[in-house]
Amino acid sequence: MARVVSIFLPDLPTDRIRRDETVIPADQPIAVIARSGSKRWISSADPAAKRIGVRVGMPAAKAQAIFRGLMLVDADPVADALALDRIGLWALRLYSPIVAVDGNDGLVLDTEGADHLQGGEQPMITGIVNMFRARKLSARVAIADTWGAAHACVRAIRRDTVIVPRGEIVRAVEKLPISLLRLPEKVVQDLRVLGFQSIGELSNTPRAPLALRFGPEVGRRLDQMFGRMNEPIDPIRTGDLVEVTRSFQEPIGAAETINKYVGRLVVQLVAELEKRGLGARRTDLIVHKVDNTIQAIRAGTAKPARDVAWLTKLFRDRTEKIEPGFGIEKLTLVAGSAEPLAQQQKVSSLVEEENGDITPLIDVFANRGQRVYRVVPFASDVPERSVQRVSAVAESVGDGWASHWRRPVRLFSRPEQIQAIAMMPDYPPATITWRGKRHRVKRADGPERIFGEWWMRPNELDAVRDYFVIENDNGERFWIFRSGDGVDPDTGSHRWFMHGIFA
């Protein structure tokens, strides 16, 4: 069963204005004015404007008279639509091969077959929210079994992320207002006149009277929301995407047949990529079925690739997830992300050279949903900041860690507090208690004093850590530190922490 993500951008007009005009102060309230003849009203307001009392629908003259310092900007639906299209293309390359615009304030994504690349549903939608925030865009995200359910939940439930469990659509939407059914405004008003307020009330009403008065649209939207009728998502596309398609006169469904045509599409796609001097980084197989549904499979590579055999293998390992249903009428292979790839001359040799390229192994793990990365040195004296994650195939920076002080083979991401008995200020502990176990210190080396990075974090101006390497009676060696210099309380709390373990 497909899973659909709905991304709601409630403040898109004001967010676009702030992104276009970077000189606007962060605390400046902004409201957007819409016009209809001589009537002017507030169509959108940013959080700063809402905090001072501006409301959507308020007459513009009233808002201008009441709220001093409010910045009023004329609405520009064309610019908003272009911004939404650009966001959709960005999401197409990053999250899912099937992305479409949802109204004028949102996007819809079919993530079936692609969420594993993001670590699962919860990490994926949380990452979407964080990624939008990093680009100064307010966003709420919901995931459900159908487009209609995800669309309604993300707009009604005021949380950043909403996950509707599989098969729980009825319980999630039955109390939501009928305005979220994506019906024409006139139909919604007439339904309210008849006494319908919630989706549950409308869904429990016999269909015949509703169809007689309002036509088939009400029943169609209800069936789409509850999954009784398929609602295909027509993905957005750009002219620069490399795409090949194969349509079938007769629907196909056998796994062997699907694999055969996928292999042929890969050959065609590689030929197109070669003409443009590109290599695929992320490739999407979009399956169009006879029952008007779409299924997508995404495969990524650590480096730009044009290897027919390898790309074919990546998809054949996952074509078993394709559910042909009543048959497949079209297959589309799209290079959603491509990078320049120059041709390389291969030199033959009588001696077989060892191939140390682990990129295929990285691709296998990454397409199973595992995060693959390398840890490299970073210029920082603070131990937990002296490393950073980079791509597994990133170029070597050539720098190394400082070697004049010993460092543990295992460094905790977060230091763990311990209990210690020690003489202040410069002596190592005589005993420590860590995770409920007491260790007597037999040998110790230190202190190594590390100062806070005040130029990066002003609150670390006086911060100090004193590190010791200690060894217990069993020969186990630990890396511990005291927060503070042992004298001045402004330098730290004088608590002791475990930060690493030596081999």
Side-chain angles (χ1 to χ4, degrees):
M1 181 182 293
R3 295 289 279 174
V4 180
V5 170
S6 179
I7 303 176
F8 178 42
L9 306 171
D11 303 320
L12 177 62
T14 55
D15 288 342
R16 177 189 59 79
I17 293 169
R18 286 191 182 276
R19 286 169 58 87
D20 293 342
E21 302 292 338
T22 56
V23 296
I24 299 177
D27 57 350
Q28 170 67 55
I30 302 176
V32 177
I33 303 175
R35 300 171 182 266
S36 179
S38 60
K39 185 179 179 181
R40 300 165 67 242
W41 70 94
I42 303 297
S43 61
S44 179
D46 72 345
K50 292 176 182 177
R51 281 195 296 269
I52 64 175
V54 180
R55 296 292 178 264
V56 175
M58 177 183 293
K62 181 179 178 180
Q64 194 170 15
I66 294 177
F67 305 106
R68 177 176 273 181
L70 177 64
M71 180 179 177
L72 297 176
V73 182
D74 289 334
D76 191 347
V78 175
D80 293 340
L82 291 175
L84 190 59
D85 287 339
R86 289 194 298 269
I87 296 171
L89 293 174
W90 168 71
L92 177 72
R93 289 177 169 86
L94 192 62
Y95 293 111
S96 171
I98 302 177
V99 179
V101 172
D102 187 6
N104 56 8
D105 58 3
L107 300 170
V108 60
L109 296 71
D110 186 341
T111 61
E112 184 72 15
D115 55 352
H116 74 286
L117 296 175
Q118 308 293 332
E121 290 183 351
Q122 184 63 61
M124 178 181 65
I125 63 175
T126 302
I128 292 174
V129 172
N130 293 336
M131 192 72 75
F132 273 73
R133 283 179 179 171
R135 283 159 175 75
K136 299 181 180 180
L137 293 169
S138 302
R140 301 206 301 264
V141 183
I143 184 169
D145 291 340
T146 64
W147 180 352
H151 173 97
C153 290
V154 76
R155 286 160 174 77
I157 302 175
R158 297 191 175 275
R159 294 202 306 265
D160 289 342
T161 60
V162 179
I163 296 180
V164 179
R166 294 181 185 270
E168 298 290 336
I169 292 179
V170 175
R171 190 170 64 177
V173 306
E174 61 183 354
K175 295 182 180 179
L176 301 184
I178 58 175
S179 59
L180 297 175
L181 271 174
R182 296 177 293 161
L183 293 168
E185 185 62 29
K186 180 64 168 60
V187 175
V188 173
Q189 293 176 359
D190 292 344
L191 288 171
R192 285 174 175 165
V193 170
L194 295 177
F196 295 106
Q197 299 297 328
S198 68
I199 294 175
E201 294 173 351
L202 190 62
S203 65
N204 292 328
T205 302
R207 291 289 181 87
L210 292 175
L212 184 64
R213 179 161 184 172
F214 300 103
E217 184 67 10
V218 175
R220 185 173 68 88
R221 286 302 190 189
L222 286 171
D223 288 340
Q224 289 175 344
M225 172 173 282
F226 292 111
R228 295 188 288 262
M229 178 183 292
N230 293 321
E231 184 176 10
I233 300 174
D234 187 16
I236 56 177
R237 286 288 181 264
T238 60
D240 59 346
L241 285 178
V242 183
E243 179 177 352
V244 293
T245 301
R246 178 63 184 261
S247 299
F248 306 103
Q249 293 183 348
E250 295 291 336
I252 65 172
E256 298 81 3
T257 307
I258 296 173
N259 287 332
K260 179 178 70 173
Y261 286 106
V262 167
R264 294 180 180 179
L265 287 175
V266 169
V267 173
Q268 297 177 26
L269 183 69
V270 167
E272 291 295 326
L273 290 170
E274 191 171 0
K275 290 178 183 178
R276 307 187 189 190
L278 300 174
R281 283 293 310 277
R282 185 175 292 116
T283 311
D284 303 318
L285 176 65
I286 303 177
V287 181
H288 300 261
K289 305 177 187 178
V290 173
D291 58 358
N292 205 23
T293 60
I294 297 176
Q295 186 177 354
I297 293 177
R298 169 164 285 184
T301 57
K303 294 181 179 180
R306 284 202 305 260
D307 189 329
V308 173
W310 181 241
L311 291 175
T312 303
K313 181 183 184 305
L314 288 179
F315 279 107
R316 285 184 176 175
D317 289 344
R318 305 191 59 226
T319 50
E320 61 183 16
K321 294 185 177 181
I322 296 177
E323 300 174 359
F326 295 105
I328 298 169
E329 60 182 3
K330 185 169 72 171
L331 290 174
T332 302
L333 197 60
V334 185
S337 176
E339 297 178 2
L341 177 62
Q343 293 185 352
Q344 294 182 349
Q345 178 67 42
K346 294 185 179 181
V347 180
S348 62
S349 174
L350 295 177
V351 180
E352 184 176 351
E353 298 180 357
E354 183 179 353
N355 184 6
D357 186 12
I358 62 170
T359 303
L361 179 62
I362 295 172
D363 293 344
V364 170
F365 283 121
N367 283 285
R368 291 176 181 173
Q370 306 294 325
R371 296 186 62 187
V372 185
Y373 57 87
R374 286 195 300 115
V375 176
V376 298
F378 183 75
S380 175
D381 288 331
V382 181
E384 59 266 32
R385 299 178 201 156
S386 64
V387 296
Q388 65 177 349
R389 295 180 180 181
V390 299
S391 170
V393 295
E395 295 291 336
S396 177
V397 295
D399 297 331
W401 284 281
S403 58
H404 55 279
W405 286 100
R406 288 179 295 172
R407 290 292 183 257
V409 295
R410 180 186 175 193
L411 184 72
F412 298 153
S413 58
R414 292 180 179 272
E416 299 182 11
Q417 187 174 347
I418 60 176
Q419 303 299 321
I421 299 176
M423 292 181 62
M424 305 282 270
D426 297 327
Y427 287 89
T431 63
I432 66 168
T433 303
W434 176 46
R435 296 181 179 176
K437 184 178 180 180
R438 187 171 178 268
H439 301 266
R440 189 174 72 88
V441 178
K442 187 176 181 180
R443 296 183 182 87
D445 185 15
E448 174 195 354
R449 179 158 292 182
I450 292 179
F451 294 92
E453 296 175 333
W454 53 267
W455 59 92
M456 296 178 58
R457 304 189 182 190
N459 60 343
E460 294 184 358
L461 179 61
D462 299 319
V464 169
R465 287 181 184 176
D466 283 341
Y467 278 86
F468 293 86
V469 179
I470 63 172
E471 181 179 329
N472 65 8
D473 290 330
N474 298 326
E476 297 173 315
R477 291 185 298 162
F478 308 107
W479 204 40
I480 64 173
F481 71 87
R482 181 187 60 228
S483 176
D485 60 4
V487 178
D488 187 356
D490 291 337
T491 60
S493 63
H494 293 166
R495 297 175 182 173
W496 290 84
F497 296 85
M498 177 72 67
H499 205 173
I501 300 175
F502 289 88

